[in-house]
Amino acid sequence: MILKRKIYSKLLEWKNGCGGTKAIMLEGARRIGKSTIVEEFAKKEYESYILIDFAKKDKVVEEYFSQYLNKLDDLFMLLSTYYGVNLVTRKSVLIFDEVQMFPQARAAIKYLVADGRYDYIETGSLISIKENVKDIVIPSEERSITMYPLDFEEFAWALGEEQLLNYIKRCFEKREPLERGMHNNAMMLFKQYMLVGGMPKPLIIYIENKKNFSLVDAEKRDILKLYRNDIMKIKAQYRGKVLAIFDQIPGLLSQHEKRVVFKNIQEGSYADRYSETFFWLSDSMISNECFLCNDPNVGLSINEERTYVKCYMGDTGLLLSHAFDENELLESEVYAQILNDKLSINEGMLYENVIVQMLVANGHKLYFYTHYSLEKHRNDIEIDFIISNNSKLKYKMYPIEVKSGKKYSIASLNRFNEKYKARIGESYIIHPRNLVMKDGIVCIPAYMTFCL
């Protein structure tokens, strides 16, 4: 089963726009479907293709690149013969899959693109990790695009819900609530996305096995084991710290503030000691980061405070399997309880994580804001997220509060709006209820997050 992915249109733009003058690098986490989509693209858009999987560590192929890079006629002849594929000038593409496993092939892109005979697509996981690129020059002839797990729209496409998506978009644009039955259907779709997640294999299993959550969960646990094995391959100097953060993500997200308190991970720890840790987790796209912005304005990154960070799982389906052990999930039927709104404990953690996943998939870099009141001796303003790059009204920021329950206060958001009203375009509350306007705040159901 081949899932429809938005990245396909970006690959098409690259092919038609660059005409062989640049290679394309598709970066993303393990198991999100990079290899599948590029091979499908190659089949449909070219006369022939060669897929070289460098994860297989084929010494014969690696030797070709080492010996014949200065003799490209021989290199192409050997590759064509080895793979049994007839290469056609300007009508064939070579795919370098998991190219980080053989950095010399990535370095060779400079010469291969200059030759101009064929197109080149690279896929990579953990591509920017220092140990993978320290001995090569990153070619300027390479364009990078980032791929994420399936977003909410892609998930809905896979379940045949295109019409419901179009209806949601129309209601968001008109600032109108959905018809009650449609709202319930959309919330059910959202909850399925939260539970299954956006990793392709679990979703395919979900569809092909009549929505069997136990089979889905088993596949997600296999992916988590793969991630853990990746972590164990890190250089020893900060492997333990990465593992500690990875293991504690569910615990961190179940707290009220959700931000990382470094001394709680290890006594005497400080943020600077964990910089490599968060670099690794975010660069591998296992996690999504959200930094404190202490003076929120349009240029949010200018005022970011990196000693305060919230760390979310890159995929919420994986977070669910990570948060509960296997027996606990099956015995308590957590999946069924969440679908039927019977599980309150830890649902807020999953709910906020999936909102982050949807915002990140839309290209947003995330920030949060807190204000400590000396008079009250506590934080009197807490804003879950601030985004700034989605607006038709330029030079404005957009605060977002996430509420997993149906009853909540908007006092914090009102204080923030009053304090920074000149900088704000529109304010949002994301909640489980239908769309409603409240004191100038747009309160949208969780499934509408993909519209932001």
Side-chain angles (χ1 to χ4, degrees):
M1 180 179 181
I2 302 296
L3 301 169
K4 181 182 176 184
R5 305 298 298 269
K6 293 178 182 178
I7 204 82
Y8 192 101
S9 62
K10 292 185 178 180
L11 290 170
L12 205 54
E13 286 175 18
W14 156 77
K15 179 180 185 290
N16 296 333
C18 290
T21 59
K22 279 188 182 291
I24 190 86
M25 164 68 82
L26 193 60
E27 295 180 287
R30 299 280 294 274
R31 295 293 182 88
I32 60 166
K34 299 185 299 294
S35 304
T36 301
I37 197 66
V38 297
E39 187 165 14
E40 182 69 9
F41 179 78
K43 285 178 182 175
K44 288 184 176 178
E45 306 298 336
Y46 292 88
E47 282 191 19
S48 66
Y49 70 94
I50 290 176
L51 190 153
I52 304 172
D53 184 356
F54 286 109
K56 292 180 177 177
K57 306 301 285 183
D58 189 325
K59 294 299 180 185
V60 174
V61 173
E62 290 181 3
E63 197 66 26
Y64 289 163
F65 279 89
S66 299
Q67 290 190 12
Y68 296 99
L69 200 54
N70 293 324
K71 301 176 181 178
L72 291 183
D73 289 347
D74 291 343
L75 175 64
F76 295 136
M77 180 269 294
L78 289 166
L79 290 173
S80 180
T81 304
Y82 188 80
Y83 287 97
V85 174
N86 183 37
L87 293 172
V88 183
T89 300
R90 299 304 322 134
K91 293 182 180 179
S92 294
V93 61
L94 278 74
I95 301 168
F96 294 174
D97 200 19
E98 298 292 355
V99 73
Q100 82 280 355
M101 303 297 289
F102 188 63
Q104 294 94 318
R106 190 180 183 191
I109 285 293
K110 176 182 179 68
Y111 308 103
L112 296 171
V113 168
D115 174 73
R117 267 176 269 192
Y118 312 114
D119 284 352
Y120 299 91
I121 302 175
E122 303 163 274
T123 76
S125 307
L126 319 184
I127 280 299
S128 299
I129 299 300
K130 292 172 184 174
E131 51 259 41
N132 284 337
V133 297
K134 63 180 181 179
D135 296 324
I136 70 166
V137 176
I138 304 301
S140 59
E141 294 78 9
E142 174 188 282
R143 176 174 295 172
S144 293
I145 53 174
T146 303
M147 187 175 177
Y148 297 96
L150 284 95
D151 66 18
F152 180 69
E153 283 184 277
E154 292 169 327
F155 183 88
W157 291 341
L159 294 179
E161 295 286 1
E162 290 91 343
Q163 293 304 315
L164 181 57
L165 284 175
N166 292 335
Y167 178 52
I168 293 169
K169 289 176 186 175
R170 286 198 301 273
C171 289
F172 177 78
E173 289 167 4
K174 295 178 180 180
R175 298 295 190 266
E176 293 177 355
L178 276 70
E179 182 273 329
R180 182 183 293 181
M182 289 295 182
H183 167 71
N184 292 337
N185 291 344
M187 280 304 299
M188 179 58 71
L189 183 64
F190 169 78
K191 283 184 276 190
Q192 289 176 81
Y193 180 58
M194 184 166 66
L195 297 176
V196 177
M199 306 304 275
K201 189 71 179 294
L203 174 56
I204 290 169
I205 289 172
Y206 184 66
I207 293 168
E208 292 181 346
N209 292 276
K210 299 180 180 179
K211 303 185 177 181
N212 184 317
F213 281 115
S214 63
L215 293 175
V216 169
D217 192 68
E219 181 60 34
K220 289 191 292 175
R221 290 185 187 282
D222 287 345
I223 296 171
L224 288 168
K225 286 176 186 173
L226 180 74
Y227 285 178
R228 196 176 183 85
N229 289 338
D230 283 343
I231 293 171
M232 296 308 293
K233 295 173 187 173
I234 300 173
K235 285 185 175 180
Q237 61 192 37
Y238 58 95
R239 180 197 305 146
K241 294 176 183 177
V242 175
L243 201 56
I245 295 292
F246 178 72
D247 286 341
Q248 290 188 43
I249 288 175
L252 294 168
L253 294 179
S254 63
Q255 298 173 156
H256 168 65
E257 286 193 341
K258 294 182 175 61
R259 68 181 177 86
V260 178
V261 180
F262 292 95
K263 66 181 180 182
N264 291 346
I265 299 168
Q266 183 180 339
E267 193 62 38
S269 294
Y270 296 95
D272 59 346
R273 296 185 187 178
Y274 277 82
S275 59
E276 291 279 13
T277 301
F278 287 101
F279 173 84
W280 196 96
L281 283 170
S282 65
D283 205 69
S284 67
M285 297 178 68
I286 289 174
S287 74
N288 290 317
E289 295 174 333
C290 179
F291 293 106
L292 174 67
C293 187
N294 51 27
D295 181 22
N297 211 327
V298 178
L300 292 169
S301 61
I302 298 171
N303 298 299
E304 72 180 34
E305 179 55 73
R306 283 186 166 256
T307 55
Y308 296 91
V309 59
K310 293 194 282 188
C311 186
Y312 298 89
M313 281 288 283
D315 181 74
T316 310
L318 293 182
L319 174 63
L320 177 64
S321 297
H322 194 28
F324 295 90
D325 71 43
E326 206 161 353
N327 292 329
E328 189 179 4
L329 267 175
L330 296 175
E331 288 170 10
S332 60
E333 296 181 328
V334 171
Y335 285 99
Q337 289 184 41
I338 292 177
L339 284 175
N340 297 313
D341 293 323
K342 297 285 177 64
L343 184 76
S344 56
I345 186 168
N346 284 326
E347 189 173 0
M349 165 187 72
L350 300 170
Y351 192 88
E352 186 165 322
N353 199 91
V354 77
I355 299 303
V356 168
Q357 185 174 346
M358 293 166 82
L359 291 171
V360 168
N362 268 9
H364 296 296
K365 189 174 180 183
L366 300 180
Y367 300 89
F368 70 98
Y369 174 84
T370 61
H371 177 266
Y372 184 80
S373 169
L374 293 173
E375 183 182 336
K376 300 174 184 175
H377 303 290
R378 62 176 176 83
N379 289 337
D380 64 342
I381 304 177
E382 295 181 356
I383 303 300
D384 293 323
F385 307 111
I386 305 171
I387 57 177
S388 68
N389 59 342
N390 69 325
S391 70
K392 294 177 182 176
L393 298 166
K394 291 184 178 179
Y395 315 119
K396 297 289 183 180
M397 62 177 177
Y398 296 75
I400 298 170
E401 279 278 80
V402 178
K403 309 292 184 182
S404 59
K406 293 185 178 180
K407 294 182 180 179
Y408 53 81
S409 167
I410 61 171
S412 188
L413 187 54
N414 282 335
R415 281 193 287 269
F416 182 84
N417 288 344
E418 182 61 31
K419 186 177 176 71
Y420 294 109
K421 57 186 174 183
R423 305 178 184 180
I424 294 171
E426 201 166 37
S427 299
Y428 298 102
I429 285 175
I430 298 173
H431 63 180
R433 305 174 71 176
N434 215 329
L435 188 147
V436 64
M437 301 295 294
K438 188 183 295 185
D439 299 333
I441 297 169
V442 188
C443 303
I444 63 171
Y447 53 76
M448 270 188 187
T449 305
F450 81 92
C451 298
L452 297 178

